[in-house]
Structure formats: C-alpha cells, structure tokens
Amino acid sequence: MSDVHRPSSIIEKCLICIPYLYGVIDMFFRFSPTLIMNFELTSYWEGIIDEYFVYYSNLQYLPHIMFLFLYVGIVRNSSKRINYFLQYNAMQYLILFTAEQLLYDLFLRTCFNYLDTTFTLTVAVLCVFSITLLSIDCILNILMGRYSEIPIITDAVLVHIGDKRRK
C-alpha cells in the first residue's frame, strides 16, 4: 500500500476524531434549549446553564472556523504530505457537519413555536441521538483505519476528493 492510501499514525487518527467529538458536543448544546424547556430545573442548574450560554455565545463561530481550517488546511492542501485517509475523513466530517447544520435549521424552523412540547423534545432527542451514533461510527472506523461508508455523504466526499481508496 502506498503512503497516499496508508492510514495515518494513531496521533493523526486521534486528531481527526476531534472535529467529530466537537460536532456532537456542539449539536447537543444547540438542541439543549428544547431539553431545558421540557424539564424543571433548580436555581442551581439554571445558574450553571446561564453561565454556559455566556461562553457558548462567545464561541458559537468556532465550528465554522474549524470548518474553514479543515477544508483549506487538509482537504484542499496541494501538498502531498497529507495522505488520502486524512483528506477523506476531514471531507466526510465537513459534509456531515453541513448535514447537521441543515438538520438543526429544519428542526428550528419547524419547531420554534413549540419548543416546550413533548413532540419537539422527542424530535430533538432523535436528532442528537442520530448525530451521535453517526459520529461514533466514524470515530471507530478512523481508529481502526477503515473508510466509513455513509449513504449519500460518502458519495459527496468522493465527488469532492476523488476515490483513491483501496478495496
């Protein structure tokens, strides 16, 4: 197997897993108002949540900065030093991130007036759960040195960076 196709070192694998982990955390907090509005909280937890949202509102553009860094620094880097395995997984995260943003936007636009209902809580939990499962699957595949296959998303990855995987 050539260097272009060889899965990277464990350090590089762990580093490329960070965006997936951050994406799960970010989406959890995006959907958290629905969770918060459906449960009674003590004043202690309300204080913690208020403090969190101060920090979260200051860091809300971090995922977009990370998106730009991954796209320019890894996917579109013309250097031959970045192997295909890293490019593939970075591009897959970027497309998955875009799908997460679309899912969140659709959720918010359809459920905005009903955030305190059981239906909206159920939809929010299902969205976060599905995003978490997809991210865990991708992380496990990265750590095992395998290419993840996600319908539609994998096709979009291959359109952007080509198919250099070895079967």
Side-chain angles (χ1 to χ4, degrees):
M1 192 183 305
S2 69
D3 287 340
V4 172
H5 305 288
R6 184 176 302 143
S8 48
S9 71
I10 191 68
I11 294 171
E12 290 173 329
K13 288 178 186 178
C14 290
L15 288 175
I16 202 66
C17 288
I18 291 172
Y20 289 99
L21 293 172
Y22 184 78
V24 169
I25 293 167
D26 182 55
M27 290 309 288
F28 174 77
F29 285 117
R30 284 179 188 260
F31 283 98
S32 64
T34 303
L35 300 171
I36 293 167
M37 293 180 80
N38 281 281
F39 296 105
E40 287 189 34
L41 300 173
T42 64
S43 60
Y44 172 76
W45 284 107
E46 285 178 4
I48 289 174
I49 290 168
D50 287 343
E51 188 70 24
Y52 162 76
F53 278 109
V54 168
Y55 292 111
Y56 183 74
S57 64
N58 291 329
L59 299 174
Q60 65 182 326
Y61 298 108
L62 187 60
H64 304 288
I65 294 167
M66 185 170 53
F67 183 100
L68 182 65
F69 169 75
L70 287 172
Y71 188 73
V72 173
I74 295 178
V75 174
R76 288 295 174 200
N77 192 331
S78 60
S79 170
K80 299 294 182 190
R81 295 183 313 186
I82 297 176
N83 69 33
Y84 182 76
F85 185 75
L86 289 176
Q87 287 181 327
Y88 179 91
N89 285 295
M91 190 67 214
Q92 182 170 279
Y93 168 73
L94 296 177
I95 293 171
L96 191 59
F97 173 76
T98 304
E100 290 173 356
Q101 295 296 321
L102 177 64
L103 180 67
Y104 176 70
D105 191 45
L106 289 172
F107 168 80
L108 204 57
R109 291 184 189 281
T110 57
C111 298
F112 182 74
N113 292 327
Y114 310 102
L115 287 179
D116 59 346
T117 65
T118 306
F119 172 75
T120 304
L121 176 64
T122 305
V123 172
V125 168
L126 287 174
C127 289
V128 171
F129 186 69
S130 63
I131 291 165
T132 302
L133 285 180
L134 264 176
S135 294
I136 288 171
D137 180 55
C138 291
I139 290 168
L140 291 175
N141 281 316
I142 289 170
L143 294 176
M144 289 187 269
R146 297 186 309 207
Y147 293 95
S148 297
E149 294 282 334
I150 303 171
I152 300 171
I153 292 177
T154 299
D155 294 337
V157 169
L158 299 178
V159 164
H160 283 280
I161 64 171
D163 192 0
K164 298 177 187 172
R165 301 173 293 170
R166 294 217 175 196
K167 302 289 180 182

